[in-house]
Amino acid sequence: MAVYALVDCNNFYVSCERAFNPALEGKPVIVMSNNDGCAVARSAEAKAIGVGMGEPAFKLRHLVDSHGLIMLSSNYALYGDMSERVMSVLATFSPGAEIYSIDECFLDLDGMPVDNLTAWSQQVRATVRRWTGIPVSVGIGTTKTLAKLANRLAKKSKKANGVLDLSRDARWIEAALKQTPVGDVWGIGRQYAALCGVNGIRTAFDLTLQPDGWIKKTMGAVGLRTVMELRGTPVHTLDTAPSDKHTTCCSRSFGASVTEFEQVHDAVMTFASRAAEKIRGEGLVSGAVQVFAYTDRFRPDQPQFSLNSMIRLSPPTSSTPHIIGAALKGLKSAWRDGYEYKKAGVIMLDLVRPEDIPRDLFSPPPESGARPTALMAAVDGINGKMGKGAVGFGLVPDDAPWKMRCSNRTPSFTTSWDDIPVVKA
Amino acid sequence: MEATAPIYSALVAAGFPSPADDHLEGKLDLHELMVKRPAATFFCRADGDSMTGAGIHSGDLLVVDRSVQPHDGDIVVATLDGGLTVKTLRKTEDGWELASANPDYPSFSVDPDDGVQIWGVVTFSVSALAKR
């Protein structure tokens, strides 16, 4: 019988911050998105004073004075490093592990010589907590969807103490399904949840009672697979070797609206440079680059425009000057004056490994441009050693409006020698 | 038609082979010695003089392993007053204390209700001797 565990870090970003700053313990803390836009992680205390997920930061500022809310900028260097630590601890517990997101991991427990999965899960929790400082919850089920559902309940229930094993008893599964609103089921989008609501389907249990034909007709094959998983038939297996990405994006909202071509030009140059670095890091080359910029959709009083342009890269390449060149060419061709741009970005399309580049008779041989050139290897080497952005293409002013706003970022405790925690002696 | 012959510029080694070739081993890596469990090991910087008796000076780099079970006599990093502190963990007659290793500094008895927790065990301390 298949048995899966979903291990999920509790309020992951906040927990990472607390691991190095005990003063944050017991206080309402949120971590904000890029550019300090909105709340993307909330401590239990922050949830308790009514901070909603995704709530804009400016609407929360009054809680700083009234409730002592602590608002931190996101520190992705820290979260990435802590995530790796948590995942590597989990990998010691089960040979089959699928890292599902920065703070979630599926474990395949099939055939594990464990009598009591609840006790085993408590040991997993305690170990991750002790070694990394990060609290986690564990949900266990006979399908990945049920494991996910178990995890959600494990987090909510005090009695569960962070662990819920639904694989042991069919009655528990039924009780769990009855407690879970349809919208909270993994893989059921908001749209389908609304559709279910209209049809009187409130809980996950109600959904499992619907005839297959109706589900397939209204929610498609994907929806049917979700329902099969809720009924205990495994459809999704562990994805331990994630396939190569096909696209990657680097974009940012501007702190202030931008009207000058030069400013968008600089932003696109930086995003293109970053995107090129990203794909090189994964050993990929790109066959096309897409540039976009658009105005603020939430300002109907302003003229709206969305700029979009795609340039082919032939042969596919990961070289920064080629990619910057193409991106700027795309920007120039699609640029229009007279608008207040709010966001811009660069998307790398058709990503492939250099050895998988499709050959055709008329394009130049891939050898010429596909492999990272010596220059690129040197640039990446220097930036790896001296820190991001030590060398780059083009000079960009420090006060550019699209540069990250992060007024409240904590130090890179685990990834920079200058930032390691100071311990009072 | 003119006959040409290629010129090889590569060096062809023709000397006696190095007798050391068969004995190549990895280089010594300090990280390997000091970081037994990478997932649980953190680096910290000591600030203050309360542990000079234990050879820890202000500015020293501390290697802290959170996976090590703390024992009586271990030098540990603990949470104290909302911050992190390095002290010697000692068993006393009525419990545990965090002891300074410098007579000018006090020791603290450990009361779990005060939010004092052992954060990790210090496994190595690294002093920079040439400050440049």
Side-chain angles (χ1 to χ4, degrees):
Chain A
M1 187 180 70
V3 186
Y4 296 102
L6 176 70
V7 183
D8 188 4
C9 302
N10 302 347
N11 320 316
F12 180 58
Y13 297 167
V14 171
S15 297
C16 289
E17 301 286 354
R18 281 179 168 169
F20 298 93
N21 186 357
L24 299 175
E25 218 62 61
K27 297 197 180 128
V29 181
I30 62 159
V31 172
M32 294 173 285
S33 61
N34 271 344
N35 261 328
D36 293 355
C38 61
V40 288
R42 304 162 295 153
S43 71
E45 297 81 359
K47 290 173 193 170
I49 60 170
V51 177
M53 189 63 176
E55 209 167 321
F58 71 87
K59 285 191 182 168
L60 299 171
R61 303 236 180 261
H62 71 278
L63 292 171
V64 174
D65 288 331
S66 61
H67 289 82
L69 179 67
I70 298 165
M71 301 171 73
L72 300 173
S73 303
S74 39
N75 183 346
Y76 286 106
L78 175 65
Y79 311 150
D81 179 77
M82 293 301 279
S83 171
E84 264 177 47
R85 289 168 183 264
V86 171
M87 298 307 170
S88 75
V89 177
L90 293 178
T92 64
F93 280 92
S94 162
E98 175 197 344
I99 297 170
Y100 179 68
S101 69
I102 192 167
D103 59 352
E104 289 171 284
C105 182
F106 282 106
L107 299 176
D108 187 354
L109 308 185
D110 193 15
M112 292 264 293
V114 175
D115 293 333
N116 183 338
L117 281 173
T118 304
W120 179 86
S121 301
Q122 288 295 359
Q123 203 193 326
V124 171
R125 279 185 82 214
T127 308
V128 174
R129 182 68 192 256
R130 193 153 52 86
W131 288 28
T132 67
I134 303 293
V136 299
S137 306
V138 185
I140 294 174
T142 50
T143 68
K144 285 169 89 174
T145 306
L146 285 171
K148 188 103 182 166
L149 188 139
N151 191 293
R152 185 183 155 275
L153 295 172
K155 269 210 183 70
K156 288 182 68 151
S157 149
K158 266 225 152 66
K159 205 178 79 192
N161 194 20
V163 174
L164 179 60
D165 174 12
L166 288 180
S167 72
R168 293 261 293 279
D169 195 322
R171 282 169 305 174
W172 295 351
I173 299 178
E174 191 177 313
L177 290 170
K178 284 179 174 162
Q179 277 182 50
T180 306
V182 160
D184 287 339
V185 173
W186 187 41
I188 304 274
R190 199 175 299 175
Q191 193 191 341
Y192 288 136
L195 210 64
C196 287
V198 170
N199 287 283
I201 301 162
R202 308 259 173 244
T203 68
F205 183 72
D206 297 341
L207 188 58
T208 59
L209 300 179
Q210 303 308 310
D212 288 3
W214 181 86
I215 293 164
K216 192 158 185 191
K217 206 177 77 209
T218 37
M219 300 168 68
V222 178
L224 183 57
R225 266 178 259 163
T226 295
V227 175
M228 283 168 69
E229 287 238 319
L230 287 176
R231 291 177 187 148
T233 310
V235 181
H236 303 301
T237 51
L238 219 58
D239 190 3
T240 46
S243 55
D244 287 335
K245 270 194 270 180
H246 296 295
T247 66
T248 189
C249 176
C250 185
S251 70
R252 201 128 318 144
S253 292
F254 301 139
S257 292
V258 165
T259 51
E260 301 295 313
F261 174 76
E262 281 69 32
Q263 290 184 315
V264 180
H265 173 279
D266 286 355
V268 165
M269 186 168 69
T270 306
F271 301 156
S273 170
R274 176 77 197 104
E277 220 174 274
K278 247 161 90 176
I279 65 173
R280 280 202 299 277
E282 298 184 31
L284 301 170
V285 292
S286 165
V289 53
Q290 188 180 352
V291 184
F292 66 86
Y294 49 77
T295 49
D296 191 347
R297 278 170 287 192
F298 300 107
R299 293 291 303 272
D301 53 312
Q302 293 177 348
Q304 297 287 313
F305 178 59
S306 167
L307 167 168
N308 208 320
S309 170
M310 195 191 78
I311 304 282
R312 293 232 136 258
L313 297 164
S314 180
T317 180
S318 64
S319 138
T320 303
H322 284 111
I323 289 169
I324 289 182
L328 292 178
K329 198 169 128 196
L331 175 69
K332 244 173 242 156
S333 70
W335 175 261
R336 277 216 247 148
D337 271 325
Y339 294 98
E340 293 203 14
Y341 292 92
K342 179 70 191 163
K343 184 171 186 166
V346 166
I347 306 174
M348 308 304 307
L349 304 162
D350 300 342
L351 298 181
V352 284
R353 309 210 146 264
E355 59 271 25
D356 299 336
I357 295 174
R359 302 293 302 269
D360 76 66
L361 209 49
F362 303 106
S363 53
E367 282 76 20
S368 60
R371 274 179 301 186
T373 57
L375 172 65
M376 287 302 102
V379 167
D380 292 345
I382 293 171
N383 286 336
K385 224 181 224 155
M386 317 287 290
K388 242 184 224 170
V391 290
F393 290 80
L395 268 177
V396 167
D398 267 342
D399 59 347
W402 44 269
K403 283 231 164 158
M404 275 264 250
R405 232 183 326 180
C406 44
S407 47
N408 237 341
R409 186 187 297 163
T410 50
S412 303
F413 294 115
T414 57
T415 52
S416 158
W417 286 116
D418 292 334
D419 284 0
I420 60 175
V422 173
V423 171
K424 245 176 87 185
Chain B
M1 201 173 141
E2 208 176 328
T4 57
I7 298 167
Y8 294 104
S9 64
L11 283 177
V12 178
F16 186 68
S18 163
D21 273 355
D22 284 346
H23 302 276
L24 283 179
E25 288 176 11
K27 288 190 191 301
L28 292 177
D29 180 359
L30 260 183
H31 200 77
E32 185 191 26
L33 177 78
M34 303 211 276
V35 182
K36 290 278 180 278
R37 285 199 168 127
T41 303
F42 297 86
F43 300 121
C44 299
R45 184 81 59 197
D47 178 33
D49 300 319
S50 75
M51 293 299 284
T52 48
I56 295 175
H57 300 92
S58 204
D60 283 359
L61 174 73
L62 305 177
V63 181
V64 184
D65 188 337
R66 298 192 59 159
S67 73
V68 174
Q69 193 67 42
H71 286 307
D72 182 24
D74 281 345
I75 292 173
V76 299
V77 169
T79 61
L80 186 71
D81 297 332
L84 298 173
T85 305
V86 56
K87 290 281 180 254
T88 306
L89 181 67
R90 281 249 166 71
K91 193 151 181 53
T92 61
E93 271 170 19
D94 29 65
W96 294 87
E97 69 167 10
L98 291 171
S100 294
N102 179 338
D104 298 342
Y105 290 81
S107 300
F108 305 86
S109 64
V110 177
D111 184 350
D113 295 338
D114 291 345
V116 174
Q117 270 176 353
I118 305 304
W119 194 82
V121 172
V122 179
T123 50
F124 291 90
S125 150
V126 182
S127 294
L129 298 180
K131 312 273 185 199
R132 62 184 134 80

